[in-house]
């Protein structure tokens, strides 16, 4: 487990400085989309620190939540850690988190997105319809990149928060462990940011 923790931390540390030059920042990714599991406890201080460092650098971390739940035992690995409302931004239908916290910090996922019958590439080189949160999370990562085009100066945390605050509520009223705050709505998130006082960058014709 110790070796796996070191490897996982190294992967995310690399994302903070892909070219190995600490004087450059334009190589840092805007979004890191994650669709992988791990049995390593995510509540560890080392994991918390590297997640916070990525968010502080402006990177938006997005996780597929998994395809079972909503029992706490089904939430494991990095995707269950919340140090802010949107730090480890999970997409799907699972929850709640087993890490400490109260209120919204214990609710997983943060939002939901389309993930049923999504056309995608297949290992044999063809295309097929696939389902699961591994196909929901990329919808959110793409939404974040669209918002980044309009608001390039904003860090990933602000863009995730816009999706979180503007989602269409589903199921029981309010945030819950089945749908989080609801289904993402990119245009609503765009309008949310404008309402917050941010001016979008005009598109390039």
């Amino acid at each position: 487990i110790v070796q796996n923790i070191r490897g996982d931390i190294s992967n995310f540390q690399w994302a903070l400085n892909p070219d190995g030059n600490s004087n450059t920042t334009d190589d840092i990714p805007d979004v890191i989309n994650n669709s992988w599991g791990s049995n390593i406890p995510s509540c560890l201080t080392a994991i918390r620190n590297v997640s916070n460092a990525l968010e502080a650098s402006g990177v938006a971390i997005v996780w597929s939540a998994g395809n079972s739940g909503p029992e706490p035992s089904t939430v494991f690995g990095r995707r269950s850690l919340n140090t802010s409302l949107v730090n480890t931004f999970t997409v799907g239908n699972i929850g709640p988190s087993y890490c400490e916290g109260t209120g919204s910090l214990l609710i997983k996922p943060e939002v939901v997105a389309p993930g049923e019958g999504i056309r995608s590439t297949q290992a044999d080189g063809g295309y097929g319809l696939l389902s699961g949160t591994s196909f929901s999370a990329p919808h959110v990562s793409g939404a974040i990149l669209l918002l980044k085009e309009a608001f390039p100066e904003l860090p990933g945390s602000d863009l995730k928060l816009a999706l979180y605050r503007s989602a269409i509520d589903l199921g029981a009223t309010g945030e819950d462990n089945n749908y989080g705050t609801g289904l993402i709505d990119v245009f609503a998130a765009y309008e949310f940011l404008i309402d917050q006082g941010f001016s979008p960058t005009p598109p390039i014709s």
Side-chain angles (χ1 to χ4, degrees), residues 94 106 108 187:
I94 190 166
L106 284 180
K108 287 289 181 176
F187 187 64

Side-chain angles (χ1 to χ4, degrees), residues 50-59 61 83-84 86-88 155 157 160:
V50 74
S51 295
N52 288 342
L54 281 166
E55 184 167 72
S57 73
V59 177
I61 309 169
T83 59
S84 73
V86 295
N87 179 272
T88 50
S157 57
K160 290 187 291 183

